[in-house]
Amino acid sequence: MKLIVGNWKMNPPNLAQAKRLFSLVAKGAKNLKGVRVVICPPFLYLPYFSSKNHLFLGAQNCFWEKTGAFTGEISPLMLKSLKVKYVILGHSERRRIFSETDVMVAKKIKTALDLKLNPILCIGEDLKERKTKKTRIVLKKQLKGSLSGLKKEKLSQVILAYEPVWAIGSGYPCDAKEAKDTLIFLRKFFKNKILYGGSVNSQNARFYLEAGFDGLLIGGASLKAQEFIKIIKIASLKQ
Ligand code: PGA
């Protein structure tokens, strides 16, 4: 079963547009076999949506504590109460813009798992690291750091997303062959589902699925209902 995750990031700018996008995707994804779709809207929109058929709700982040004096944070318990099933953690924008470290990500993953939320852990090298051939060192370090302290049996509930930072939102997707090599490398350390993310669209989606990725994490293209539905249909055929 392929997993297609739409990360809306801080979009769309109002609830009416969000509702429209969600309902178009829900309609387009209806009755498609072999694919599970997760929509991760901004927190504020979550209460307006619910999971249906193969469509599930995800969040883009959460805090590592369950309640308390943490101004501005969102508890994974709150996500649970809104029937959210997945949570993206350690996205490169969180790491880069909000200075999230592997240690912080590891704490978030642990709490999410305690509450039976499925974490989607993002890792990826930036352009400089890629150019200096440090990709594998960086990925291994992020993977080890973000999963540190986790019991082995919990690992099987984590979903990994390989997202080369230089490919995110850039329009320069990772070459499928290069992504496949990285996938083979990651498989040595991580046995559960591995997704690809970074400038995925309906033209290139099939290449990553054919390369062996278990699904896709999609930013920009998840905001265009028809484009996103096309990708879901491609994944459905590749089940
Ligand atoms: P993109 O974003 O598809 O717009 O490159 C992917 C992501 O950040 O998860």
Side-chain angles (χ1 to χ4, degrees):
M1 172 90 71
K2 299 291 184 198
L3 186 64
I4 302 296
V5 184
N7 175 10
W8 288 4
K9 308 192 180 183
M10 203 171 70
N11 301 292
N14 61 59
L15 180 60
Q17 284 181 35
K19 281 183 169 172
R20 195 176 129 73
L21 179 57
F22 190 88
S23 76
L24 285 172
V25 172
K27 224 192 252 168
K30 215 165 135 184
N31 301 328
L32 289 178
K33 301 230 162 24
V35 64
R36 173 175 285 220
V37 181
V38 180
I39 302 284
C40 305
F43 292 127
L44 280 176
Y45 300 151
L46 283 167
Y48 297 94
F49 304 138
S50 54
S51 304
K52 25 181 114 112
N53 307 318
H54 287 302
L55 192 67
F56 292 85
L57 279 186
Q60 300 171 18
N61 180 31
C62 70
F63 195 51
W64 59 74
E65 295 290 347
K66 292 171 191 159
T67 54
F70 303 103
T71 303
E73 288 298 327
I74 299 288
S75 156
L77 270 180
M78 297 168 188
L79 299 179
K80 286 289 285 187
S81 76
L82 295 178
K83 307 252 180 314
V84 169
K85 297 273 185 273
Y86 295 83
V87 57
I88 298 172
L89 293 172
H91 188 280
S92 69
E93 284 149 18
R94 303 279 337 155
R95 293 176 186 264
R96 188 169 43 88
I97 306 168
F98 303 100
S99 308
E100 279 193 16
T101 61
D102 288 336
V103 173
M104 291 158 81
V105 176
K107 289 207 253 181
K108 292 180 176 200
I109 290 190
K110 192 177 170 308
T111 311
L113 286 171
D114 283 349
L115 294 173
K116 300 200 162 37
L117 273 169
N118 297 296
I120 301 170
L121 164 64
C122 301
I123 59 170
E125 80 286 0
D126 66 21
L127 192 57
K128 190 165 161 231
E129 290 157 346
R130 178 176 181 243
K131 279 188 174 156
T132 52
K133 305 215 179 315
K134 294 210 178 81
T135 297
R136 292 183 177 199
I137 297 169
V138 169
L139 295 181
K140 212 173 151 184
K141 184 172 162 285
Q142 288 181 344
L143 193 58
K144 225 178 136 202
S146 307
L147 296 176
S148 82
L150 267 196
K151 293 212 177 80
K152 236 191 172 158
E153 66 268 20
K154 293 264 185 183
L155 276 180
S156 62
Q157 287 146 46
V158 178
I159 295 157
L160 188 64
Y162 169 53
E163 296 209 300
V165 178
W166 49 271
I168 295 177
S170 64
Y172 296 103
C174 184
D175 174 71
K177 165 82 178 68
E178 189 178 329
K180 185 176 180 170
D181 290 345
T182 305
L183 175 65
I184 292 167
F185 171 74
L186 290 172
R187 282 255 186 262
K188 289 191 216 163
F189 313 100
F190 190 85
K191 305 294 173 207
N192 197 24
K193 276 192 186 320
I194 304 181
L195 317 180
Y196 169 80
S199 294
V200 174
N201 56 37
S202 63
Q203 304 300 306
N204 61 29
R206 62 169 48 80
F207 302 126
Y208 301 107
L209 298 173
E210 282 164 6
F213 284 94
D214 302 296
L216 303 163
L217 177 50
I218 301 168
S222 71
L223 296 170
K224 301 178 211 141
Q226 295 319 318
E227 176 75 356
F228 191 56
I229 291 164
K230 265 192 208 168
I231 298 172
I232 298 169
K233 287 186 174 160
I234 290 166
S236 161
L237 294 172
K238 297 266 178 249
Q239 58 179 287

